[in-house]
Amino acid sequence: MNDTVLIELRTEELPPKSLKLLSEAFADTVFSALAAQQFTADDSVCTPYATPRRLAMTITHVAARQPDRILERKGPAVASGVDGEGRPTRALEGFMRAAGVTFDELHKTSDGKAEYFVARQAKAGEPLAAHLAEIVAQALKKLPIPKVMRWGGSEHQFVRPVHGLILLHGTSIVPGEVLGLASGRSTLGHRFLASGDIVVNNPAAYAPSLLAGKVIASFADRRAAIAEQLAAAAGKLGARINPADGLLDEVTALVEWPAVYVGGFEAEYLDVPQECLILTMQQNQKYFPLLDAAGKLLNKFLIVSNMQVDDPASIIQGNERVVRPRLADARFFYDQDRKNGFATRVVRLGSVVYHNKLGSLGDRAQRLGRVARSIAEKLHADANLAERAALFSKIDLLTDMVGEFPELQGIMGRYYLLHEGGLPVVADAIEQHYRPRFAGDALPAGNIACAAALADKLDALVGFFGIGQPPTGDKDPFGLRRAALGVLRILMETPLPLDLAELIDEAKSTLIKQGVQIEAVDEPLLTFMLDRLRGMLRDAGHSVDVVEAVLAQRPTRIDLVPARLAAVSEFQALPEALALAAANKRIGNILRKTEEAFPEPDIALLEEDAEKALFQRVVLIAPLVRSHVANEDYADALKVVASVRGEVDRFFDEVMVNVHEPLLRRNRLGLLKALFDQLNAVADIAKLAV
């Protein structure tokens, strides 16, 4: 009989930042295990539920018993399983004993490469009750939990103590035990707004029964309800909520019966930079700050409470009383930092270690200043301002405010420098030199800010690669992947006419001048960054073969990559493209196989009409291709390249390259090399060949 399964594990309060992930992973793992053991149907649907005190799911169309099955066990290859007289070898005899079959009961199958013996055995289907509890237990062990705990005198381990287990199939309890709990059909509602056990008669009644107990079981439904209430409350005040998707998920994981209330604080706190107030409200108190139409912080905020009551005055007053000391702390840090001075702290950077092989923060600030100056000069920007911004960019790391809220680094540097009369362009560069901080973040605006941002990221990339600490696997403790993507985005999207290889060399030279021992870094780092660029371009929707064609040339002018991609995509649509891509691949193979030098082709050594025609065409197109490439007219360059198809086809039809006569052979190789250079002037079009 097929029916719906309900699984609920009732716990103490689960970690809010990971509740959604835990719920989805739990449901996916259980559903996959049931499917693997053939308990589910093709139209089975898994619905996860998650509240602060439970992980649950329903799965439709689950069989009470597995179907009878034929299990197939793979054995040795036929070639090694029998001897010359057709008798089983020792390897095959061992397999037969383990599988419990005779030689006559074996079957043969092929995997396309070799033929193998297999043992096939009928296995009767087993009941759901024999597997469900174990499937749930194993799924819990596989959850992405960094740290587990024990409770009471139990030896069981989980992220939080567990108190209840429901395993239902239809209206029936599926017997079993998980984490020391026997399965049943009872759960609990809201901790304060409901009382007594909630008996779940069948899976369909689960969510409605909890709703009656003041619990919205679905994470998605609860999140949507909170978002709707927040929007309504903000709308009544003519305000908008400061964007914070992560906060919405976290608050959803903290409440079971959400209610939104409006709180406030004294307007005098608005003298503190609003980023500080917003961060302390969001991070410490899980409140939603409100902004006016111009984006200015209001002295009101929204509270998501777990209690829906007729008179919320005590809830609102309690939250206002709690937030006030937090705001006072922020104001204290801000006032103290301004009293202690900002620019004067630059000398203290030398006493703070950045990395034991890369010197102090003071050393790093000096390097950033030099590299930023060099970049600004290349961009014809004010080099003095760029150097000053980079030198001052790390000072706010020594302030009390950034010590309390590291997320404000750069932001507070801007405020403090402006307070001391610093130039706005320098202050803005200090704030923006961390950009982009994450995927989709805004880029630094203006050449001064871009110079400081590039200097910061390049110093980190070259420094850590140079001391032999690049990212490995999923480990990237210094954020070098993010830094590489930042450099690439700034160069490509701003765009900036800078050569990446030259920038890497500039950062390396600056490190070496400070006495830092740097390994060979240029090629490994360039490869690393082009790999990041490859992923960026594919994620942006560019076809794989076009991306590979452009990146095969290892371009270092990243700002020109989009134009090259567009040109190659346009070339790919031409009727000549496929044939020329195949010819280019063939030419590359020929040139790689010879160890001879490739001379300039000599017209006097041309014998065949086909090679003479190709020579004339190559001579004709060479200056055109060079001119178009120099002017960054890549599409026109490839159109000129496309015109050579007829001569190329004729050459390979009528001319033998590897003739015995050495002068003739070298001349033809030289002609192919000249053609190869033109074909690959924009991209390696051989990558377009199927």
Side-chain angles (χ1 to χ4, degrees):
M1 178 183 70
N2 285 3
D3 217 328
T4 300
V5 160
L6 167 65
I7 301 166
E8 184 203 65
L9 185 71
R10 187 164 50 81
T11 71
E12 294 185 13
E13 276 70 8
L14 293 161
K17 290 186 177 180
S18 56
L19 178 64
K20 187 171 182 284
L21 175 62
L22 292 176
S23 170
E24 293 171 349
F26 183 40
D28 289 346
T29 306
V30 170
F31 185 73
S32 297
L34 286 171
Q37 299 196 34
Q38 300 183 24
F39 282 108
T40 58
D42 291 340
D43 56 350
S44 292
V45 176
C46 180
T47 304
Y49 298 96
T51 79
R53 298 192 297 153
R54 74 200 77 227
L55 295 173
M57 73 192 77
T58 59
I59 303 173
T60 61
H61 304 125
V62 178
R65 177 179 289 273
Q66 296 168 312
D68 295 339
R69 294 167 291 166
I70 299 295
L71 300 182
E72 190 171 276
R73 187 170 177 177
K74 186 177 178 181
V78 172
S80 60
V82 293
D83 59 20
E85 299 178 2
R87 292 176 299 193
T89 61
R90 288 187 177 182
L92 185 59
E93 287 176 347
F95 171 71
M96 291 189 296
R97 283 194 300 273
V101 296
T102 65
F103 184 72
D104 293 335
E105 293 172 327
L106 290 173
H107 298 267
K108 296 177 183 178
T109 189
S110 174
D111 62 0
K113 296 180 180 179
E115 194 174 23
Y116 291 86
F117 285 110
V118 294
R120 293 172 182 160
Q121 295 175 310
K123 182 174 178 62
E126 296 178 340
L128 179 66
H131 293 273
L132 185 58
E134 181 61 22
I135 286 173
V136 172
Q138 291 303 316
L140 293 173
K141 290 180 180 179
K142 294 177 182 177
L143 291 182
I145 300 171
K147 188 178 294 186
V148 295
M149 61 185 297
R150 294 188 180 92
W151 55 94
S154 169
E155 289 299 313
H156 297 291
Q157 299 181 58
F158 193 52
V159 64
R160 292 291 185 271
V162 298
H163 297 297
L165 175 69
I166 294 178
L167 299 178
L168 290 185
H169 184 232
T171 59
S172 303
I173 296 174
V174 180
E177 183 178 297
V178 176
L179 296 176
L181 298 171
S183 59
R185 63 169 74 247
S186 295
T187 187
L188 293 176
H190 193 283
R191 185 185 291 276
F192 305 112
L193 302 178
S195 61
D197 289 351
I198 295 174
V199 177
V200 183
N201 293 317
N202 61 74
Y206 178 69
S209 297
L210 282 177
L211 198 63
K214 305 298 184 184
V215 174
I216 301 176
S218 166
F219 187 96
D221 290 349
R222 202 164 62 255
R223 187 183 193 275
I226 295 171
E228 183 178 351
Q229 292 185 52
L230 288 170
K236 288 181 181 178
L237 297 169
R240 62 184 178 88
I241 298 168
N242 187 66
D245 283 345
L247 178 60
L248 182 55
D249 282 343
E250 189 174 355
V251 168
T252 303
L254 287 168
V255 299
E256 294 183 323
W257 194 249
V260 172
Y261 305 118
V262 180
F265 56 88
E266 291 78 0
E268 64 191 60
Y269 288 114
L270 294 176
D271 293 337
V272 179
Q274 68 179 47
E275 293 90 345
C276 308
L277 304 181
I278 289 171
L279 192 60
T280 193
M281 283 190 280
Q282 290 182 168
Q283 183 171 293
N284 296 127
Q285 304 306 129
K286 315 306 176 190
Y287 299 152
F288 289 83
L290 293 173
L291 310 175
D292 65 15
K296 185 178 179 182
L297 181 67
L298 302 174
N299 63 324
K300 294 184 182 298
F301 57 89
L302 299 181
I303 306 155
V304 179
S305 172
N306 196 30
M307 297 283 287
Q308 195 175 88
V309 295
D310 294 332
D311 182 9
S314 61
I315 294 175
I316 294 171
Q317 290 169 8
N319 281 278
E320 290 176 341
R321 188 167 56 251
V322 169
V323 77
R324 199 169 289 116
R326 294 287 189 179
L327 301 180
D329 286 345
R331 183 169 62 180
F332 174 77
F333 293 142
Y334 183 55
D335 291 342
Q336 287 299 112
D337 286 339
R338 290 187 298 170
K339 287 179 184 177
N340 294 332
F342 179 68
T344 56
R345 296 175 190 248
V346 69
V347 295
R348 291 174 49 198
L349 290 173
S351 62
V352 180
V353 175
Y354 171 58
H355 187 278
N356 62 350
K357 292 185 178 180
L358 297 174
S360 66
L361 279 180
D363 295 329
R364 184 162 197 250
Q366 293 294 325
R367 296 197 299 268
L368 299 190
R370 295 191 189 102
V371 175
R373 167 176 279 278
S374 174
I375 293 172
E377 289 171 349
K378 289 180 172 67
L379 296 174
H380 306 292
D382 192 317
N384 291 326
L385 295 182
E387 182 177 21
R388 186 174 181 80
L391 285 170
F392 284 3
S393 63
K394 303 303 176 183
I395 297 178
D396 66 357
L397 297 177
L398 305 182
T399 63
D400 292 339
M401 185 69 83
V402 173
E404 180 72 12
F405 300 111
E407 298 88 344
L408 294 176
Q409 55 189 285
I411 294 171
M412 297 313 302
R414 176 181 178 275
Y415 278 109
Y416 293 146
L417 188 62
L418 288 175
H419 173 71
E420 296 187 355
L423 291 174
V425 67
V426 176
D428 290 343
I430 289 174
E431 177 187 356
Q432 297 176 23
H433 87 282
Y434 287 108
R435 295 183 186 177
R437 296 173 185 252
F438 50 84
D441 190 20
L443 298 178
N447 287 340
I448 302 300
C450 284
L454 288 171
D456 178 57
K457 294 164 181 58
L458 288 164
D459 179 76
L461 286 162
V462 175
F464 286 110
F465 265 78
I467 62 173
Q469 295 196 32
T472 56
D474 60 351
K475 295 181 179 179
D476 186 11
F478 306 111
L480 300 184
R481 292 188 178 96
R482 183 175 66 249
L485 291 172
V487 170
L488 294 168
R489 281 194 59 201
I490 292 170
L491 294 176
M492 185 166 62
E493 296 175 26
T494 305
L496 296 178
L498 299 172
D499 188 286
L500 178 58
E502 292 179 5
L503 295 178
I504 291 172
D505 186 65
E506 180 73 29
K508 182 182 72 173
S509 298
T510 305
L511 280 155
I512 292 173
K513 287 176 182 176
Q514 275 196 349
V516 179
Q517 299 297 314
I518 294 292
E519 299 175 3
V521 69
D522 303 68
E523 284 304 307
L525 180 52
L526 183 58
T527 298
F528 172 80
M529 298 193 72
L530 292 178
D531 284 343
R532 306 282 80 70
L533 180 59
R534 178 176 287 105
M536 280 177 57
L537 298 175
R538 289 179 179 177
D539 290 344
H542 296 284
S543 67
V544 173
D545 51 355
V546 171
V547 171
E548 293 303 321
V550 172
L551 296 191
Q553 307 289 49
R554 297 179 69 79
T556 55
R557 279 288 302 276
I558 307 302
D559 59 310
L560 302 179
V561 166
R564 288 177 181 264
L565 291 168
V568 174
S569 295
E570 188 177 331
F571 171 78
Q572 194 176 32
L574 297 176
E576 300 89 353
L578 189 59
L580 283 175
N584 191 46
K585 187 174 183 179
R586 180 178 180 182
I587 295 168
N589 291 334
I590 291 171
L591 296 178
R592 277 191 294 272
K593 288 178 181 178
T594 182
E595 297 180 358
E596 298 183 64
F598 304 123
E600 290 289 330
D602 185 347
I603 191 171
L605 294 174
L606 301 176
E607 292 186 346
E608 305 288 344
D609 289 343
E611 63 180 327
K612 292 176 182 178
L614 180 60
F615 173 81
Q616 291 172 354
R617 175 65 68 173
V618 169
V619 170
L620 176 66
I621 70 169
L624 295 174
V625 172
R626 282 196 300 271
S627 175
H628 286 313
V629 170
N631 292 319
E632 300 169 16
D633 297 326
Y634 301 119
D636 289 341
L638 286 173
K639 287 177 184 176
V640 172
V641 167
S643 69
V644 80
R645 178 193 171 176
E647 288 80 2
V648 171
D649 288 347
R650 184 184 174 193
F651 178 87
F652 281 116
D653 287 341
E654 300 179 12
V655 178
M656 178 179 291
V657 177
N658 289 316
V659 293
H660 293 297
E661 170 56 44
L663 287 178
L664 207 56
R665 181 176 64 251
R666 283 196 296 271
N667 198 60
R668 288 174 179 174
L669 288 172
L671 176 58
L672 289 182
K673 179 62 169 62
L675 171 63
F676 190 71
D677 291 342
Q678 303 311 313
L679 293 176
N680 293 278
V682 174
D684 182 359
I685 62 172
K687 300 294 183 181
L688 305 178
V690 293

